[in-house]
Amino acid sequence: MSAVTPLYEGKAKIIYPTDNPEVLLSYFKDDATAFNAQKKGQIIGKGAMNCAISAHLFKKLASSGIPTHFIDQPSANEMRVKAVSIIPIEVVVRNIAAGSLCQQTGLALGTALPFALVDFYYKDDALGDPMLSPDRILLLNIATTDQIDQLRQMALSINQILTEFFQSCSITLVDFKLEFGFDSRQQLLLADEISPDTCRLWDQAATDTAARVLDKDRFRQDLGNVEQAYAQVMERVLSQVV
Ligand code: TMP
Ligand code: ASP
């Protein structure tokens, strides 16, 4: 890990400056949290696995025309990324009902949604990341109407690419969370990470509902074999040429 003073430390990553102000180093930690950090733990090897999975998925998305912050992966836990100012919105895309959608709507776990649902949440730990409507985003001056439309369109394009990609890994992409930011030229880039921490991923070969879970729900719900699930995702993702 770098001896440089971090610019920022989050729950799962540490961001370091580099000699180039347009480039940052993102260090992926083994630390895991859930329920707005009320539950804390470690998933051994998670940092390196999430870094490798994210790097591969960012490459796939870039080759499919999605602008991302990813530059390269200089070491197992580190990713060089373009510096962006992060928009404080977590954009969640859902294909199948799970998690908070089930809790808040009563839809049964596993219900296939008739269209990909895009939900916005305020990236604010102190407030507990509440859901935002487009009007509330405008009210808080977080993004313009055009930018909200752009976020939605990019998220839906990413969903199409990743759904097909995970399908080729025999994994169902249930839902996932994205973050975006603006670079120094005001270009909108996909940022943060895409990993079993930020996606729900179900193994299509599994025969029961607990065994199918290959993502952070194993940690959230104490399902066990967390490291093995992340390793399974990594193996399948990295085996796909992008
Ligand atoms: P949810 O069902 O809890 O709203 O989560 C939807 C998706 O977003 C799921 O794939 C997990 C991911 N997610 C994050 O990446 N970070 C978060 O803080 C939360 C709450 C969810
Ligand atoms: N990452 C979030 C947290 O700790 C929540 C989650 O992923 O469940 O707080």
Side-chain angles (χ1 to χ4, degrees):
M1 204 190 305
S2 168
V4 178
T5 308
L7 272 181
Y8 170 80
E9 177 157 4
K11 286 176 284 201
K13 293 186 293 298
I14 308 174
I15 307 296
Y16 294 97
T18 69
D19 295 340
N20 180 345
E22 305 224 348
V23 176
L24 301 175
L25 198 67
S26 179
Y27 179 89
F28 286 64
K29 299 191 282 186
D30 285 358
D31 297 350
T33 65
F35 315 118
N36 203 16
Q38 289 177 72
K39 180 181 171 103
K40 290 187 179 145
Q42 282 225 322
I43 300 171
I44 303 304
K46 174 173 85 84
M49 291 192 280
N50 280 359
C51 190
I53 294 165
S54 282
H56 206 74
L57 295 176
F58 282 137
K59 283 183 214 162
K60 169 67 192 172
L61 290 167
S63 74
S64 306
I66 302 291
T68 86
H69 74 159
F70 176 76
I71 300 173
D72 58 15
Q73 192 192 348
S75 76
N77 287 65
E78 291 176 319
M79 196 182 270
R80 291 199 313 144
V81 298
K82 293 179 193 163
V84 293
S85 56
I86 291 282
I87 301 169
I89 297 176
E90 299 194 345
V91 183
V92 170
V93 183
R94 302 174 192 273
N95 298 305
I96 292 173
S100 69
L101 181 66
C102 295
Q103 286 159 15
Q104 293 168 4
T105 64
L107 279 171
L109 176 67
T111 307
L113 305 183
F115 56 88
L117 185 67
V118 180
D119 285 331
F120 300 109
Y121 296 87
Y122 194 11
K123 190 173 153 59
D124 187 318
D125 284 342
L127 294 174
D129 296 348
M131 189 184 263
L132 288 174
S133 62
D135 272 1
R136 287 188 184 195
I137 294 174
L138 297 178
L139 177 76
L140 295 174
N141 252 321
I142 301 171
T144 64
T145 302
D146 283 351
Q147 288 167 346
I148 298 169
D149 286 347
Q150 210 184 340
L151 290 175
R152 176 190 292 280
Q153 285 318 316
M154 271 177 81
L156 289 171
S157 300
I158 292 165
N159 184 44
Q160 278 188 2
I161 298 161
L162 292 185
T163 296
E164 198 178 301
F165 180 87
F166 278 111
Q167 185 67 31
S168 62
C169 302
S170 303
I171 290 173
T172 300
L173 179 60
V174 174
D175 58 27
F176 58 99
K177 183 266 299 179
L178 301 171
E179 296 185 26
F180 296 87
F182 290 103
D183 68 8
S184 56
R185 284 166 224 84
Q186 291 307 303
Q187 199 201 352
L188 186 62
L189 303 182
L190 175 65
D192 194 50
E193 67 179 276
I194 307 175
S195 72
D197 271 15
T198 63
C199 302
R200 285 197 174 91
L201 302 167
W202 288 354
D203 185 356
Q204 295 174 353
T207 48
D208 71 81
T209 56
R212 72 185 173 189
V213 176
L214 295 177
D215 56 69
K216 200 163 93 173
D217 273 349
R218 297 207 78 82
F219 170 78
R220 294 189 188 97
Q221 299 169 19
D222 295 317
L223 296 176
N225 293 325
V226 187
E227 286 84 1
Q228 289 85 343
Y230 278 61
Q232 190 54 232
V233 173
M234 181 171 77
E235 192 186 312
R236 295 195 206 177
V237 164
L238 297 191
S239 73
Q240 300 295 315
V241 179
V242 296

